[in-house]
Amino acid sequence: MHLSKRLGAEALGTFWLVLGGCGSAVLAAAFPGLGIGFHGVALAFGLTVLTMAFAIGHISGCHLNPAVTIGLATAGRFPKSEILPYWVAQVIGGIIAAGILYLIATGKPGAEIGGFAANGYGEHSPGLYSMNAALISEVVMTFMFLIVILGATDKRAPAGFAPIAIGLCLTLIHLISIPVTNTSVNPARSTSQALFVGGWALQQLWLFWVAPLVGALIAGIVYPAIWGEKD
């Protein structure tokens, strides 16, 4: 399929991930009496990936995440020449979703966006975790996310179940690491929210690019080296 159509699918998919995942955190997590809490937010992120994997997986591969794109490319599953266009599409889709979420979130009297589901460490970590803790968490969680993606989409794996495994993996990752960083494992998701929060969120954004990309690169090397199909 033509690259432009695949990029459109990636932008739409990342739009849905940010709107569904971050939207649940901003609008529904702490709603008086009916808040969905960490558990609901974790499930929302997993559901966005699961639903989009079925909807656009056959079109673009449903990366929705610069870390996933570079991890797949490192593992030899995706052309390196298309990394940057995919990244651009993902970031644009995320920013559009964050803009719509901002308009919704500020559409009531006295509304304040607060942290706007942005990722952070130190005093901006939900659990006040340090920069080192955040860095370790994001590298390891992204590494495991890519291991599951690479394994579930391996041609030797049972066909048709990859979206379920990947969506549940992202849910589990959020259940573990929301208290640490608000869970990124996705630079596009982090960038979209940071742009609207500004200040500290932009200053700390570097970690939520570096750590996920490092984790994905390691997984892209490790999976084929250990479990790749031998000739």
Side-chain angles (χ1 to χ4, degrees), residues 16-17 40-53 167-168 170-171:
W16 184 231
L17 182 145
V41 174
L43 182 60
F45 271 101
L47 288 174
T48 62
V49 171
L50 188 154
T51 52
M52 272 295 139
L168 289 176
L170 190 59
T171 299

Side-chain angles (χ1 to χ4, degrees), residues 116-206:
F116 203 52
N119 300 114
Y121 54 82
E123 64 179 311
H124 303 292
S125 157
L128 303 180
Y129 286 86
S130 69
M131 182 185 73
N132 287 341
L135 187 65
I136 293 168
S137 176
E138 289 292 326
V139 169
V140 173
M141 296 302 161
T142 312
F143 170 82
M144 290 307 305
F145 190 36
L146 265 293
I147 291 294
V148 170
I149 291 171
L150 290 166
T153 58
D154 193 310
K155 64 182 180 181
R156 296 165 292 174
F161 294 98
I164 299 172
I166 295 167
L168 289 176
C169 180
L170 190 59
T171 299
L172 177 57
I173 286 169
H174 279 77
L175 288 173
I176 298 168
S177 62
I178 285 177
V180 184
T181 62
N182 252 344
T183 308
S184 172
V185 302
N186 185 337
R189 169 260 191 271
S190 297
T191 301
S192 67
Q193 304 306 114
L195 288 175
F196 285 85
V197 175
W200 66 264
L202 288 174
Q203 292 167 11
Q204 296 189 356
L205 181 59
W206 67 269

Side-chain angles (χ1 to χ4, degrees), residues 54-156:
F54 280 117
I56 66 169
H58 56 288
I59 298 173
S60 69
C62 191
H63 299 185
L64 319 185
N65 182 340
V68 172
T69 298
I70 201 168
L72 292 173
T74 304
R77 304 271 194 93
F78 185 76
K80 291 182 173 62
S81 62
E82 295 182 0
I83 291 175
L84 187 57
Y86 261 56
W87 283 10
V88 171
Q90 291 155 0
V91 170
I92 289 174
I95 292 172
I96 293 172
I100 290 176
L101 178 57
Y102 179 86
L103 293 175
I104 296 171
T106 56
K108 64 178 183 179
E112 294 182 4
I113 64 168
F116 203 52
N119 300 114
Y121 54 82
E123 64 179 311
H124 303 292
S125 157
L128 303 180
Y129 286 86
S130 69
M131 182 185 73
N132 287 341
L135 187 65
I136 293 168
S137 176
E138 289 292 326
V139 169
V140 173
M141 296 302 161
T142 312
F143 170 82
M144 290 307 305
F145 190 36
L146 265 293
I147 291 294
V148 170
I149 291 171
L150 290 166
T153 58
D154 193 310
K155 64 182 180 181
R156 296 165 292 174

